[in-house]
Amino acid sequence: MNVLELRKLFPILHQEINGHPLVYLDNAATSQKPESVISAVKAYYERNNANVHRGVHTLGSRATDAYEGAREKVARFLNASESNEIVFTRGTTTALNLVASSYARSVCGEGDEIVLTPMEHHSNLIPWQQVAKATGAVLKYIPLQADGTIAMADVERTITDRTKVVSVMQVSNVLGVINPVKEIAAVAHRHGAVMVVDGAQSAPHMKVDVRDLDCDFFAFSGHKMCGPTGIGALYARKSLLERMEPIEFGGEMIDHVDLYESTWKEAPWKFEGGTPIIAGAAGLAAAIDFLTEVGLDEIDRHESKLAAYAYDRLSEMEGITIYGPREGRVGLVTFNLADVHPHDVATVLDTEGIAVRAGHHCCQPLMRQLEVSATARASFYLYNTEDEVERLVSALQRTKEFFGHAIG
Amino acid sequence: MQLDDLYRRVIMDHYKNPRNRGTMEAESVTIQLNNPTCGDRISLQLQVEDGIVREARFTGEGCSISMSSASMMTEAVKGRTKEEALGMADKFSSLMKGDDVEFEEYEDLEALSGVNKFPARIKCATLAWNALRKGVES
């Protein structure tokens, strides 16, 4: 994998921010897009745009092919058994809400359990809180170890025969840890619960095989993996999708409509009411082609190496706290500089053209557990380099000096 | 963009030595505001008597801009009538829009004019003033 060659394919990277070459280290929030994705979206609008699933005309067929072709690509990308197990959504959030609102509400009752972890992103937390409120189910949390990892003994203790749903992120957007979702799924199944995997931070960075994980649901977003915003998908086991009721109603999703009663299409189309995100699907297909060509294993290796490098270089700085373990992490490092608030860190870095995220990262419960109100996070992708890590380190050094001087 | 435009000495002084930080026993109203996008929190306590803001205290967590702004705001509105306090809040909004505003009442506030050049930080500076508005209008 030649990173410098790959960088050339991303137009946005080649610009100056505040007089410095852009160093984009906010990939866990959203990734940048290669030329091929941008042109796939453009080509769709310039050549093929029409509505899907009803065109007798040529453009209608092309649009349908683009959309359904993307579904097949997603299915292969996740190693699903068939493309009918893929529901297109707006992203991870809508995918998880679909599982919560449709599946979980129908199976959960008073006293049933939904099992999560305290590190979940708000989008894998609040939908379950709402299910609990509506059904009388209770939320239970697998506790975290001091280093932010999950111990299987705690998983065994938390999941019981009353558990209906277990939902865990495969990769933490704050701690960078990779959670043992395959092992957790096995425990969930032993107790008759379904396993939901929030793949927002894993699908972009590592090979995902839903059949190997043996999960029942897997949600991800296109925009974090070189695709456009506004498109993502839910993988769901076919037998579950068939049982689930739609939560949005209208055009596209119906079979027969009467004045008082209607019936739905089969899954996955019954979950896709309204004109779908066709251009987004075309862009996502191009993103999957791009990532497959580069190789997910290669990307994984590159990022892990970069994260370990960043972890070590940052560790050498005095007054820095890094959250999460050094080993077994993906390409992100979350940290705080003593006596400098992360917003101030991010502002100073921005004046040097370096984009990092500062805040709670949509993980307020985890922030409380870490006993901080906010953190700064540098998150990497396939186009980031060790030179960029060095620029981060030296800019952080200057941040420390600036604030040390200003408030010292 | 120059860092010194944003982090002026007066601001860093208020950050390091916040005025009116803490709580008070007196009968008062307390307003709690969060900045949900970044996690900043402020709890503002106001003692208002006969239409005058007698005392103001704050606690909270946040960056240098939000905490120094809270320090300055409490210092600026103490002893002012509610109308004067709201008038200053309006003037502060103008300052954040980049208008040329003078605070003869409390000059330190002018140090925050540089925030205008850092759009992502304006909400940090206005958090305390939003709490003040809520408190005075309650």
Side-chain angles (χ1 to χ4, degrees), chain B:
Chain B
M1 257 192 331
Q2 284 297 316
L3 277 181
D4 295 333
D5 290 346
L6 180 63
Y7 298 112
R8 292 187 193 161
R9 193 180 312 171
V10 177
I11 294 176
M12 299 319 285
D13 178 53
H14 276 270
Y15 183 46
K16 194 182 160 198
N17 308 300
R19 328 298 197 249
N20 309 306
R21 191 170 175 110
T23 55
M24 58 183 161
E25 296 282 315
E27 194 176 319
S28 58
V29 289
T30 301
I31 306 94
Q32 288 180 333
L33 271 192
N34 298 322
N35 190 338
T37 53
C38 61
D40 281 2
R41 289 189 303 108
I42 184 175
S43 176
L44 175 67
Q45 210 182 356
L46 293 176
Q47 183 197 12
V48 183
E49 256 177 24
D50 307 326
I52 294 171
V53 181
R54 300 280 179 203
E55 266 302 335
R57 296 283 162 83
F58 79 99
T59 56
E61 278 177 88
C63 59
S64 58
I65 302 301
S66 69
M67 292 295 109
S68 64
S69 179
S71 169
M72 290 183 203
M73 182 279 289
T74 50
E75 201 63 0
V77 300
K78 273 201 296 187
R80 312 255 167 215
T81 66
K82 284 168 133 189
E83 291 70 29
E84 284 169 344
L86 288 174
M88 289 177 82
D90 288 341
K91 258 167 69 172
F92 192 79
S93 299
S94 305
L95 186 74
M96 291 299 106
K97 287 190 192 115
D99 295 349
D100 206 1
V101 180
E102 281 181 18
F103 281 95
E104 56 280 354
E105 308 95 321
Y106 190 68
E107 285 178 355
D108 284 11
L109 287 167
E110 292 169 20
L112 285 166
S113 63
V115 177
N116 164 256
K117 294 196 199 99
F118 295 78
R121 305 302 296 279
I122 291 175
K123 59 188 188 322
C124 307
T126 52
L127 184 66
W129 288 95
N130 291 340
L132 173 79
R133 263 185 219 279
K134 265 184 112 168
V136 169
E137 286 166 358
S138 68

Side-chain angles (χ1 to χ4, degrees), chain A residues 20-171:
Chain A
H20 302 270
L22 166 65
V23 175
Y24 185 77
L25 301 179
D26 195 17
N27 294 285
T30 196
S31 71
Q32 299 303 348
K33 324 301 174 198
E35 184 59 49
S36 62
V37 169
I38 298 166
S39 52
V41 174
K42 189 161 176 273
Y44 168 77
Y45 282 125
E46 285 181 350
R47 301 266 316 141
N48 306 326
N49 180 54
N51 216 322
V52 290
H53 301 144
R54 59 173 90 121
V56 173
H57 55 76
T58 304
L59 292 188
S61 308
R62 284 193 202 160
T64 305
D65 289 349
Y67 187 64
E68 293 303 327
R71 197 189 305 277
E72 279 166 33
K73 278 220 164 110
V74 172
R76 276 202 297 277
F77 182 68
L78 300 178
N79 198 30
S81 306
E82 47 181 296
S83 61
N84 291 358
E85 294 181 317
I86 304 299
V87 182
F88 279 124
T89 65
R90 227 158 21 87
T92 308
T93 300
T94 23
L96 293 169
N97 271 279
L98 174 58
V99 183
S101 299
S102 174
Y103 179 80
R105 282 194 193 219
S106 72
V107 300
C108 285
E110 195 74 34
D112 286 335
E113 300 164 352
I114 298 167
V115 171
L116 311 169
T117 79
M119 74 173 90
E120 299 310 315
H121 189 279
H122 295 162
S123 61
N124 194 28
L125 174 63
I126 307 167
W128 307 114
Q129 291 177 349
Q130 296 304 107
V131 173
K133 277 185 198 155
T135 63
V138 290
L139 300 183
K140 285 173 79 180
Y141 290 90
I142 303 166
L144 300 187
Q145 304 284 96
D147 66 353
T149 57
I150 291 172
M152 283 312 292
D154 288 323
V155 174
E156 297 275 4
R157 263 194 292 277
T158 313
I159 299 172
T160 73
D161 288 343
R162 289 306 303 267
T163 306
K164 295 283 190 241
V165 177
V166 179
S167 191
V168 176
M169 58 187 356
Q170 189 170 14
V171 166

Side-chain angles (χ1 to χ4, degrees), chain A residues 229-280:
Chain A
T229 53
I231 183 92
L234 173 70
Y235 156 82
R237 222 183 269 284
K238 195 178 179 192
S239 55
L240 294 172
L241 268 193
E242 282 170 351
R243 272 168 52 193
M244 284 162 57
E245 280 292 306
I247 57 169
E248 286 190 327
F249 304 89
E252 296 277 1
M253 53 77 67
I254 45 84
D255 173 33
H256 177 81
V257 177
D258 220 335
L259 278 177
Y260 299 99
E261 283 290 332
S262 301
T263 56
W264 329 132
K265 278 183 184 164
E266 295 192 336
W269 299 280
K270 68 178 174 184
F271 300 106
E272 296 177 0
T275 296
I277 312 137
I278 313 166

